[in-house]
């Protein structure tokens, strides 16, 4: 603490000296003229967003939103739509036969080479709810909430490898450096709870998504809008708790001293990231009390724990679903769940359709259905948009990596058609949008691109995706880049 006080005193003295004034000019007094010519020291230029210390305060969207909050559930690796939602009885007739030439000519796959065999659907399908949605026996719990869901069966993307496809899905571009959807949402709407981050990420499955933490990063937006990854357990956020031997009062004094130095630095150079640093220090201090309380499930009734399939003390996807409800209930704007392990190539006993996909569905089906029922029971589903899906789909043919048939049943990455679903905040109930051909290879009706999905999510949050922009490097950037159209047919 004494060192911080000394540094603060030195900083005050430094700002008053002639030497500091000359050094801060970089190239000497001549730089003042150059700076005025280039407008390089202008607060307007260096801070185009107008970021202030209350950057996370609630903001008004462009028009009245249908959803106030989002829970986005991403199954990293890409689940097979042909085993779960896209029922193709004709594909079963082709099982074991050579793939038609038109499915291969001019196409690129991640692993398939030569002529693979067709692979019939392995799930047993039936229709559920008044909507008559086709859902397989892999997802018995989701069958019970079919009428709350809109299925988009004609999704398509541009990327057939995991990391670029995940980046495209969550940031609008296949390369690093762009803000994530959650960051855009918090940038546009702010946060309703100043004691919690506006954008929180929970992961499960034992590994991070292939694209890493960049898919919940803030890109060129101020870093105050990036996702904060939390963990289940006694220390949900690393380094937020008080160090050993440091009291809470002393921690508070330390942060106040650090931020006073930061404020003086901001007055000198007007860098908005300094305001972000100040905001994050203050948020971290408030989070010491608020995060452990929100992440504590011991006060949840036993029937809720049983409904989700949660085992107290064990981190799991089920636990993350319950925590997502608690975070939404506490006005967190955007909650992102990533579950790793959905890449069903058929290369081993886990990475396949017979056992691996069944096991992933067993782990996630009950808690996802419970989340929808829980939100609905509490009156939160109407204003909370729930999104479920992977980064691309799976092929109707069996993977034959390097021309050899895999030891287990599996499918390669597929960009032409896959299924996602949405529920809650502003979405129609019990609707199926889009259609694929009889073998599930191409979307043949109402195709929906990744940018179309992003445009629709932003619309539900109260933003026109073409007008919701951020100036960076001389250009107004947007989540959907230069593409995307609203999927009006699924909006209530």
């Amino acid at each position: 603490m004494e060192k911080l006080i000394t540094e603060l005193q030195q900083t005050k003295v430094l700002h008053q000296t002639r030497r500091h004034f000359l050094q801060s000019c970089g190239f000497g007094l001549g730089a003042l003229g150059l700076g005025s010519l280039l407008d390089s020291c202008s607060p307007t230029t260096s801070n185009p967003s107008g970021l202030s210390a209350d950057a996370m305060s609630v903001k008004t969207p462009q028009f009245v939103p249908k959803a106030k909050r989002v829970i986005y559930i991403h199954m990293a690796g890409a689940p097979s739509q042909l085993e779960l939602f896209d029922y193709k009885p004709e594909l079963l007739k082709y099982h074991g036969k050579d793939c038609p030439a038109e499915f291969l000519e001019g196409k690129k796959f991640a692993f398939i080479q030569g002529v693979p065999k067709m692979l019939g659907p392995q799930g047993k399908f039936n229709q559920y709810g008044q909507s008559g949605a086709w859902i397989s026996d892999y997802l018995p719990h989701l069958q019970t909430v079919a009428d709350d869901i809109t299925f988009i069966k004609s999704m398509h993307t541009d990327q057939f490898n995991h990391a670029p496809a995940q980046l495209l899905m969550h940031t609008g571009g296949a390369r690093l450096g762009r803000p994530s959807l959650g960051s855009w949402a918090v940038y546009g709407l702010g946060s309703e709870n100043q004691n919690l981050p506006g954008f929180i990420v929970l992961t499960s499955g034992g590994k991070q998504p292939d694209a890493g933490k960049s898919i919940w990063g803030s890109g060129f937006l101020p870093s105050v809008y990036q996702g904060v990854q939390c963990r289940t357990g006694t220390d949900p956020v690393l380094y937020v708790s008080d160090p050993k031997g440091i009291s809470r009062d002393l921690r508070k004094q330390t942060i106040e001293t650090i931020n006073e130095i930061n404020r003086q630095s901001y007055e000198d150079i007007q860098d908005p990231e300094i305001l972000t640093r100040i905001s994050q220090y203050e948020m971290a201090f408030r989070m010491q009390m608020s995060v452990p309380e929100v992440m504590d499930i011991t006060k949840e009734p036993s029937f809720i724990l049983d409904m989700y399939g949660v085992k107290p003390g064990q981190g799991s996807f089920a636990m993350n679903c319950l925590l997502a409800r608690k975070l939404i209930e506490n006005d967190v704007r955007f909650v992102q769940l990533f579950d790793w392990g959905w890449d069903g190539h058929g290369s081993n006993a886990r990475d396949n359709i017979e056992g691996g996909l069944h096991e992933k569905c067993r782990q996630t089906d009950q808690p996802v259905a419970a989340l929808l029922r829980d939100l609905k029971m509490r009156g939160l589903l109407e204003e909370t948009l729930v999104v479920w899906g992977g980064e691309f789909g799976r092929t109707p043919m069996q993977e034959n990596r390097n021309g050899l048939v895999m030891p287990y049943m599996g499918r390669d990455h597929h960009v032409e058609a896959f299924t996602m679903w949405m529920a809650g905040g502003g979405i129609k109930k019990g609707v199926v949008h889009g259609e694929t051909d009889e073998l599930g290879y191409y979307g043949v009706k109402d195709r929906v691109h990744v940018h179309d999905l992003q445009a629709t999510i932003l619309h539900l949050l109260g933003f026109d995706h073409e007008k919701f922009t951020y100036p960076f490097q001389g250009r107004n950037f947007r989540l959907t880049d230069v593409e995307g159209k609203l999927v009006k047919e699924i909006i209530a």
Side-chain angles (χ1 to χ4, degrees), residues 94-320:
Y94 286 84
H95 181 76
K97 297 182 180 180
D98 287 348
C99 177
E102 60 267 26
F103 286 178
L104 304 173
E105 293 175 357
K107 302 295 183 182
K108 291 183 178 180
F109 300 96
F111 296 102
I112 283 177
Q113 295 179 0
V115 180
K117 303 292 185 182
M118 301 301 288
L119 177 58
Q122 300 303 298
K124 295 179 180 179
F125 283 81
N126 212 328
Q127 291 179 283
Y128 295 91
Q130 294 181 354
S131 62
W134 289 98
I135 303 176
S136 85
D137 59 348
Y138 280 50
L139 301 170
H141 293 276
L142 198 72
Q143 294 167 359
T144 65
V145 293
D147 283 339
D148 290 316
I149 294 173
T150 279
F151 293 95
I152 306 175
K153 294 190 175 183
S154 54
M155 288 294 304
H156 65 105
T157 182
D158 305 332
Q159 301 295 325
F160 60 73
N161 284 323
H162 293 293
Q166 290 169 2
L167 284 167
L168 180 63
M169 180 65 71
H170 293 285
T171 73
R175 296 180 178 86
L176 297 171
R178 296 174 65 93
S180 61
L181 173 58
S183 296
W184 280 108
V186 180
Y187 164 64
L189 294 173
S191 177
E192 295 178 304
N193 188 334
Q194 297 302 304
N195 294 324
L196 290 170
F199 179 15
I200 289 181
V201 178
L202 301 168
T203 63
S204 56
K207 293 184 180 181
Q208 300 279 17
D210 295 80
K213 297 182 179 182
S214 55
I215 49 177
W216 60 80
S218 58
F220 47 71
L221 291 177
S223 54
V224 70
Y225 301 117
Q226 68 186 352
V228 174
Q229 184 178 1
C230 290
R231 308 178 304 162
T232 56
T234 57
D235 196 13
V237 182
L238 292 174
Y239 313 118
V240 168
S241 301
D242 292 326
K244 291 183 179 180
I246 301 296
S247 69
R248 186 164 176 79
D249 288 341
L250 182 58
R251 183 75 177 270
K252 183 178 180 180
Q253 294 176 33
T254 302
I255 290 174
E256 288 175 346
T257 302
I258 292 172
N259 279 348
E260 179 59 31
I261 296 172
N262 286 331
R263 287 188 187 94
Q264 292 187 18
S265 296
Y266 177 73
E267 290 176 2
D268 284 348
I269 60 178
Q270 297 289 299
D271 183 353
E273 282 301 306
I274 297 176
L275 293 180
T276 292
R277 192 182 311 143
I278 293 171
S279 176
Q280 289 173 333
Y281 270 116
E282 293 173 345
M283 171 64 77
F285 183 72
R286 296 194 298 270
M287 284 169 61
Q288 286 184 277
M289 299 295 290
S290 56
V291 170
E293 181 179 350
V294 173
M295 305 291 277
D296 180 12
I297 67 166
T298 58
K299 297 179 182 178
E300 293 289 328
S302 58
F303 83 91
I304 290 291
L305 300 181
D306 293 340
M307 184 170 73
Y308 280 89
V310 166
K311 296 180 180 179
Q314 293 185 11
S316 63
F317 177 81
M319 175 74 81
N320 288 351

Side-chain angles (χ1 to χ4, degrees), residues 44 48-49 62 178-179 184 187 220-221 464-483:
T44 303
S49 65
Q62 295 170 344
R178 296 174 65 93
W184 280 108
Y187 164 64
F220 47 71
L221 291 177
D464 181 338
H465 73 105
E466 294 184 345
K467 298 178 181 178
F468 184 39
T469 62
Y470 185 88
F472 177 66
Q473 292 185 344
R475 172 190 164 192
N476 285 336
F477 279 82
R478 67 189 209 211
L479 172 63
T480 53
D481 198 27
V482 295
E483 301 179 59

Side-chain angles (χ1 to χ4, degrees), residues 200-469:
I200 289 181
V201 178
L202 301 168
T203 63
S204 56
K207 293 184 180 181
Q208 300 279 17
D210 295 80
K213 297 182 179 182
S214 55
I215 49 177
W216 60 80
S218 58
F220 47 71
L221 291 177
S223 54
V224 70
Y225 301 117
Q226 68 186 352
V228 174
Q229 184 178 1
C230 290
R231 308 178 304 162
T232 56
T234 57
D235 196 13
V237 182
L238 292 174
Y239 313 118
V240 168
S241 301
D242 292 326
K244 291 183 179 180
I246 301 296
S247 69
R248 186 164 176 79
D249 288 341
L250 182 58
R251 183 75 177 270
K252 183 178 180 180
Q253 294 176 33
T254 302
I255 290 174
E256 288 175 346
T257 302
I258 292 172
N259 279 348
E260 179 59 31
I261 296 172
N262 286 331
R263 287 188 187 94
Q264 292 187 18
S265 296
Y266 177 73
E267 290 176 2
D268 284 348
I269 60 178
Q270 297 289 299
D271 183 353
E273 282 301 306
I274 297 176
L275 293 180
T276 292
R277 192 182 311 143
I278 293 171
S279 176
Q280 289 173 333
Y281 270 116
E282 293 173 345
M283 171 64 77
F285 183 72
R286 296 194 298 270
M287 284 169 61
Q288 286 184 277
M289 299 295 290
S290 56
V291 170
E293 181 179 350
V294 173
M295 305 291 277
D296 180 12
I297 67 166
T298 58
K299 297 179 182 178
E300 293 289 328
S302 58
F303 83 91
I304 290 291
L305 300 181
D306 293 340
M307 184 170 73
Y308 280 89
V310 166
K311 296 180 180 179
Q314 293 185 11
S316 63
F317 177 81
M319 175 74 81
N320 288 351
C321 284
L322 175 55
L323 292 175
R325 187 270 289 167
K326 288 173 64 65
L327 291 167
I328 287 295
E329 203 171 26
N330 282 270
D331 295 321
V332 172
R333 183 71 69 187
F334 201 103
V335 180
Q336 181 85 59
L337 304 187
F338 287 101
D339 186 61
W340 183 87
W342 292 83
D343 196 17
H345 288 284
S347 57
N348 56 61
R350 291 184 57 190
D351 178 23
N352 62 65
I353 291 173
E354 308 103 293
L357 182 58
H358 260 297
E359 177 59 21
K360 293 306 295 184
C361 289
R362 187 195 64 77
Q363 295 171 6
T364 62
D365 177 39
Q366 179 180 342
V368 167
L371 176 61
L372 293 182
R373 287 198 298 270
D374 200 5
L375 290 171
K376 190 174 182 179
M377 179 175 63
R378 297 168 191 272
L380 293 170
L381 187 58
E382 290 184 0
E383 58 185 26
T384 303
L385 176 65
V386 181
V387 183
W388 183 100
E391 58 265 33
F392 41 61
R394 316 301 299 199
T395 57
M397 46 278 205
Q398 185 170 0
E399 184 171 324
N400 63 336
R401 190 172 300 188
N402 298 321
L404 301 175
V405 177
M406 305 300 284
Y408 297 87
M409 289 187 184
R411 303 181 187 275
D412 201 357
H413 308 168
H414 192 49
V415 302
E416 297 290 350
F418 62 105
T419 299
M420 296 185 67
W421 62 256
M422 305 169 76
I427 289 293
K428 290 180 179 179
K429 299 178 180 180
V431 170
V432 174
H433 181 77
E435 183 181 336
T436 57
D437 61 40
E438 61 181 11
L439 299 183
Y441 192 96
Y442 290 107
V444 294
K445 180 182 178 182
D446 296 328
R447 299 184 77 204
V448 177
H449 188 268
V450 168
H451 288 311
D452 303 335
L453 178 74
Q454 294 162 346
T456 304
I457 292 172
L458 288 180
H459 176 87
L460 293 170
L461 292 173
F463 295 99
D464 181 338
H465 73 105
E466 294 184 345
K467 298 178 181 178
F468 184 39
T469 62

